[in-house]
Amino acid sequence: MERLQKVIANLGYASRRKAEELITKGHVQVNGVTVKELGTKVNPSDQIIVDGNLLKQNQKVYFLLNKPRGYISSTNDEKNRKTVIDLIKTKERIYPVGRLDYDTTGALILTNDGELTNLLIHPKNQIEKVYIAKINGILTKEEISKLRNGVYIDKVKTAKAKVRVKKYTKKTNTSLVELTIHEGKNHQVKKMFEAVNHEVIKLHREKFAFLDVQNLKSGEYRIINPKEVKKLYFETTKK
Ligand code: URA
């Protein structure tokens, strides 16, 4: 929610002072009702009309991408590598919610909603992320227990995690492990496995909160619908 005069000014319709004047003089309608009070709060879905002109508020957009390998999770890159933004057709200035490594694939949200972004990445809100890691070797019971209870990365203990070994392939001596965490430290999954002496060969994020990418091919994306956006906001208030 933002103050009406600020929204009118930010949309480039008038200066802040002029916007205040327009409001107090009764030139502004919000959702069909004339508003003369300064400081009235509006949100992006409110309809604002000034002297009969409908103002187009910045539309919030939300995408769920199945990130392919070989893309960087930022809006630009000094090394000129491809970024996840290149994959999405939109006129809005979007950015990724958190990061996936260059070689990591899977669920990544992109949006221009700064408020939701901050809520989703704030550690206190404990948004669950499910990763599938292909690692070398086989996890011992002790290693699984360590991963579940927390390992030290950069001298800080990780929070409790869920660990499920899905498959072991003898021929290649590799395992597929599902790891569910709600933190988002830098390279967290790779470092957690490193802490128990296993290298991550491949990493895929299957799920971010309740959003999974099972129906999206690598590089494909879809719009996150308004009901899901609401649910994402709700997820951040649960803890
Ligand atoms: N953990 C990692 O190590 N890399 C990622 O891309 C995401 C989580």
Side-chain angles (χ1 to χ4, degrees):
M1 298 283 272
E2 271 197 299
R3 292 157 79 85
L4 181 55
Q5 61 267 38
K6 187 175 170 196
V7 172
I8 295 172
N10 285 351
L11 291 173
Y13 190 87
S15 66
R16 185 78 68 93
R17 183 176 299 180
K18 180 78 183 154
E20 289 176 358
E21 203 181 302
L22 287 166
I23 295 168
T24 51
K25 289 194 170 158
H27 292 257
V28 180
Q29 288 183 315
V30 176
N31 301 329
V33 178
T34 301
V35 170
K36 289 186 174 177
E37 202 128 330
L38 288 179
T40 301
K41 296 269 177 76
V42 289
N43 67 43
S45 63
D46 287 324
Q47 188 196 57
I48 303 168
I49 295 176
V50 182
D51 285 333
N53 299 308
L54 176 65
L55 303 196
K56 258 213 163 150
Q57 289 208 64
N58 230 355
Q59 250 192 325
K60 296 280 187 270
V61 291
Y62 307 86
F63 301 98
L64 175 67
L65 169 72
N66 185 355
K67 178 192 172 294
R69 191 182 304 271
Y71 282 79
I72 187 152
S73 295
S74 81
T75 49
N76 55 53
D77 181 46
E78 73 267 9
K79 290 191 219 152
N80 254 339
R81 288 175 294 183
K82 291 176 284 188
T83 79
V84 287
I85 309 295
D86 299 336
L87 294 164
I88 302 210
K89 283 201 192 91
T90 177
K91 284 189 291 205
E92 306 295 332
R93 282 159 62 100
I94 54 168
Y95 40 83
V97 174
R99 278 165 189 250
L100 286 178
D101 294 337
Y102 188 68
D103 57 352
T104 301
T105 58
L108 184 67
I109 295 175
L110 295 108
T111 180
N112 56 355
D113 183 342
E115 185 189 357
L116 182 63
T117 300
N118 289 335
L119 288 168
L120 290 175
I121 63 179
H122 200 292
K124 88 170 190 320
N125 293 325
Q126 303 193 3
I127 301 298
E128 223 172 60
K129 291 134 225 164
V130 182
Y131 291 92
I132 307 289
K134 182 180 179 184
I135 62 165
N136 67 352
I138 188 162
L139 287 173
T140 64
K141 272 194 183 139
E142 290 74 30
E143 287 165 351
I144 292 173
S145 158
K146 276 188 188 166
L147 287 170
R148 284 192 177 134
N149 292 309
V151 291
Y152 284 89
I153 54 178
D154 306 323
K155 296 197 180 124
V156 182
K157 198 176 178 187
T158 57
K160 283 201 184 316
K162 288 182 208 152
V163 181
R164 197 162 66 91
V165 178
K166 287 170 73 94
K167 193 177 165 189
Y168 171 68
T169 309
K170 207 170 168 193
K171 210 168 143 198
T172 50
N173 188 30
T174 55
S175 306
L176 274 189
V177 183
E178 183 185 281
L179 181 69
T180 305
I181 57 173
H182 54 70
E183 297 171 297
K185 296 187 168 81
N186 224 356
H187 311 303
Q188 176 151 350
V189 175
K190 290 175 186 167
K191 284 185 176 170
M192 284 177 74
F193 283 106
E194 209 173 277
V196 289
N197 300 312
H198 291 272
E199 187 198 350
V200 172
I201 301 161
K202 262 186 182 175
L203 186 59
H204 177 74
R205 182 155 72 190
E206 202 167 59
K207 231 169 153 190
F208 184 101
F210 56 88
L211 294 170
D212 69 60
V213 288
Q214 279 178 9
N215 294 324
L216 294 171
K217 295 196 188 101
S218 177
E220 272 186 358
Y221 65 91
R222 69 168 177 89
I223 287 169
I224 300 173
N225 69 45
K227 219 171 163 182
E228 291 172 319
V229 172
K230 233 185 195 165
K231 206 167 157 198
L232 280 174
Y233 267 102
F234 179 70
E235 288 276 315
T236 68
T237 62
K238 283 202 299 203
K239 295 284 167 6

